[in-house]
């Protein structure tokens, strides 16, 4: 086995080991039997609603990305883009040490449409950045209803408004192509995050939850940011660890918190499975790049 294959295998093994360690640590902090009971006694209709709401959020998310790609001259159908998006979701979940969904999109679109890598990377970057903005917007809205966060409510609102203005002006001044549909793109981003929040609400309602939603929803949004630290398998373990710690800060039930993140992760995995069709059955997309091509894509992403 050459050095590149050995390094690739080592990265996969590292992510799996880290994920297992994180899960083990989380299970030391919670009552495993109670979380198991929550899974086994969930109302499946609400879990199905959570699944379809999450899937709808991914449809809107792919539509948002399509807007950024069209801004740089890529003119293909929503159907093609959504199929590519599903394939990217599959690679993100099932190739923990591989090129990843975003890397594959860059590789495929660069090869197919001969666009500079930098323009493609910026389109993906601003797509993700709009999602982070939406997380911030909804989080600020939730802070108002969380008494444990003892800061003047005007502070986060002012920070969001000032940050949004600076963000817009910088994007408009230096990245004109990507800012053409700024408001439309960020409305889509807000819709994506709102649908995912609704998915979490359905997960809570699968047990006739009657407590305060806002601390759970705020903690979940913050765990989404924590999951960007790409050390686990599709965020597994990282979200759960964050939620378990957030429980003590916001006076929420640790077992419920972990039940939410594990259920949401399972929904994510199930929603990613249709991408398997495009790996083995569809002739529409290129196969995974060679190791040399994958290394080139990763270097360009750094």
């Amino acid at each position: 086995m050459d050095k590149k294959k050995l390094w690739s295998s080592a990265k996969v093994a590292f992510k799996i080991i880290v994920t297992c360690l994180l899960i083990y640590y989380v299970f030391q902090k919670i009552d495993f039997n109670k979380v198991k009971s929550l899974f086994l006694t969930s109302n499946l209709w609400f879990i199905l609603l959570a699944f379809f709401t999450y899937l709808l959020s991914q449809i809107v998310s792919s539509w948002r990305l399509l807007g950024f790609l069209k801004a740089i001259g890529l003119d293909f159908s929503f159907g093609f883009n959504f199929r590519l998006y599903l394939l990217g979701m599959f690679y993100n979940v099932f190739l923990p040490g591989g090129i990843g969904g975003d890397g594959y999109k860059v590789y495929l679109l660069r090869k197919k449409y001969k666009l500079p890598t930098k323009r493609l990377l910026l389109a993906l970057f601003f797509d993700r950045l709009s999602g982070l903005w939406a997380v911030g917007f909804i989080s600020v809205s939730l802070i108002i209803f969380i008494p444990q966060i003892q800061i003047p409510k005007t502070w986060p609102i002012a920070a969001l408004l000032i940050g949004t203005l600076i963000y817009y002006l910088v994007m408009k001044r230096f990245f004109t192509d990507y800012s053409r549909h700024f408001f439309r793109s960020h409305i889509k981003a807000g819709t994506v995050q709102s649908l995912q929040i609704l998915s979490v609400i359905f997960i809570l309602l699968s047990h006739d939850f009657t407590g305060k939603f806002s601390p759970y929803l705020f903690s979940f949004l913050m765990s989404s940011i924590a999951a960007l630290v790409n050390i686990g398998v599709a965020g597994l373990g990282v979200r759960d660890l964050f939620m378990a710690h957030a429980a003590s800060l916001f006076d929420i039930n640790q077992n419920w918190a972990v039940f939410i993140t594990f259920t949401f992760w399972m929904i994510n995995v199930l929603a990613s499975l249709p991408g398997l069709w495009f790996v083995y059955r569809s002739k529409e997309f290129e196969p995974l790049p060679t190791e040399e091509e994958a290394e080139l894509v990763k270097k360009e992403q750094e």
Side-chain angles (χ1 to χ4, degrees):
M1 183 181 291
D2 60 33
K3 289 183 178 180
K4 287 183 179 178
K5 287 184 178 179
L6 185 62
W7 175 241
S8 179
S9 299
K11 285 192 291 185
V12 174
F14 173 77
K15 286 199 170 189
I16 293 173
I17 290 170
V18 168
T19 300
C20 291
L21 288 173
L22 289 173
I23 293 172
Y24 175 79
Y25 180 74
V26 169
F27 281 166
Q28 302 308 301
K29 298 178 69 65
I30 64 170
D31 186 329
F32 175 77
N33 288 325
K34 286 186 178 179
V35 175
K36 179 182 175 182
S37 176
L38 286 171
F39 275 113
L40 295 177
T41 58
S42 297
N43 184 319
L44 288 180
W45 289 111
F46 276 108
I47 298 299
L48 279 173
L49 281 173
F51 172 79
F52 285 115
T53 305
Y54 176 78
L55 188 59
L56 181 58
S57 80
Q58 296 309 290
I59 294 171
V60 178
S61 183
S62 72
W63 182 29
R64 180 188 70 197
L65 175 60
L66 181 61
F68 284 107
L69 293 175
K70 285 191 172 183
I72 58 173
L74 291 176
D75 189 17
F76 43 71
S77 69
F78 173 82
F80 173 84
N81 183 67
F82 183 58
R83 292 190 293 274
L84 177 58
Y85 197 88
L86 286 173
L87 182 56
M89 287 173 61
F90 178 82
Y91 284 147
N92 279 336
V93 172
F94 295 99
L95 287 181
I99 187 173
D102 284 351
Y104 178 78
K105 288 170 198 166
V106 170
Y107 163 76
L108 178 75
L109 296 175
R110 183 185 62 180
K111 190 171 183 179
K112 189 177 180 69
Y113 294 98
K114 312 300 181 187
L115 270 180
T117 302
K118 182 179 179 181
R119 287 175 67 78
L120 291 167
L121 287 173
L122 281 173
L124 293 170
F125 170 74
F126 284 118
D127 177 67
R128 291 297 181 93
L129 193 58
S130 68
L132 281 175
W133 174 87
V135 169
F137 179 84
I138 297 174
S139 297
V140 167
S141 303
L142 290 170
I143 283 174
I144 299 169
F145 304 101
I146 304 176
Q148 289 88 349
I149 302 178
Q150 297 179 353
I151 60 173
K153 305 306 181 186
T154 53
W155 289 8
I157 295 171
L160 177 68
L161 293 176
I162 294 169
T164 300
L165 179 61
I166 294 172
Y167 166 37
Y168 171 71
L169 292 175
V170 169
M171 195 172 173
K172 189 172 179 61
R173 174 67 178 84
F174 297 103
F175 305 97
T176 307
D177 287 346
Y178 304 93
S179 69
R180 286 176 183 165
H181 305 294
F182 182 90
F183 297 102
R184 189 184 306 172
S185 300
H186 287 72
I187 288 172
K188 292 175 188 174
T191 303
V192 170
Q193 295 302 326
S194 297
L195 285 168
Q196 293 195 11
I197 284 295
L198 183 58
S199 181
V200 174
I201 290 172
F202 283 138
I203 292 171
L204 285 167
L205 290 176
S206 69
H207 283 279
D208 297 324
F209 180 77
T210 57
K212 289 190 68 174
F213 286 96
S214 51
Y216 288 94
L217 302 180
F218 179 80
S219 301
F220 175 80
L221 287 171
M222 294 301 99
S223 76
S224 300
I225 296 175
L228 294 176
V229 180
N230 192 23
I231 59 172
V233 178
L236 180 63
V238 180
R239 279 182 185 268
D240 314 290
L241 179 62
F242 186 94
M243 286 289 279
H245 280 293
S248 59
L249 293 174
F250 301 118
D251 194 27
I252 58 179
N253 187 295
Q254 279 188 329
N255 300 320
W256 277 86
V258 174
F259 165 68
I260 291 168
T261 52
F262 266 103
T263 305
F264 191 85
W265 181 82
M266 291 171 63
I267 286 171
N268 177 29
V269 170
L270 289 173
S272 303
L273 284 176
L276 183 64
W277 168 266
F278 303 106
V279 177
Y280 294 107
R281 289 298 196 179
S282 174
K283 305 297 183 183
E284 187 174 20
F285 300 114
E286 297 276 342
L288 280 172
T290 63
E291 289 188 22
E292 291 76 14
E293 289 172 324
E295 285 298 319
L296 180 62
V297 172
K298 286 182 181 179
K299 286 179 181 178
E300 289 171 338
Q301 285 182 292
E302 291 174 355

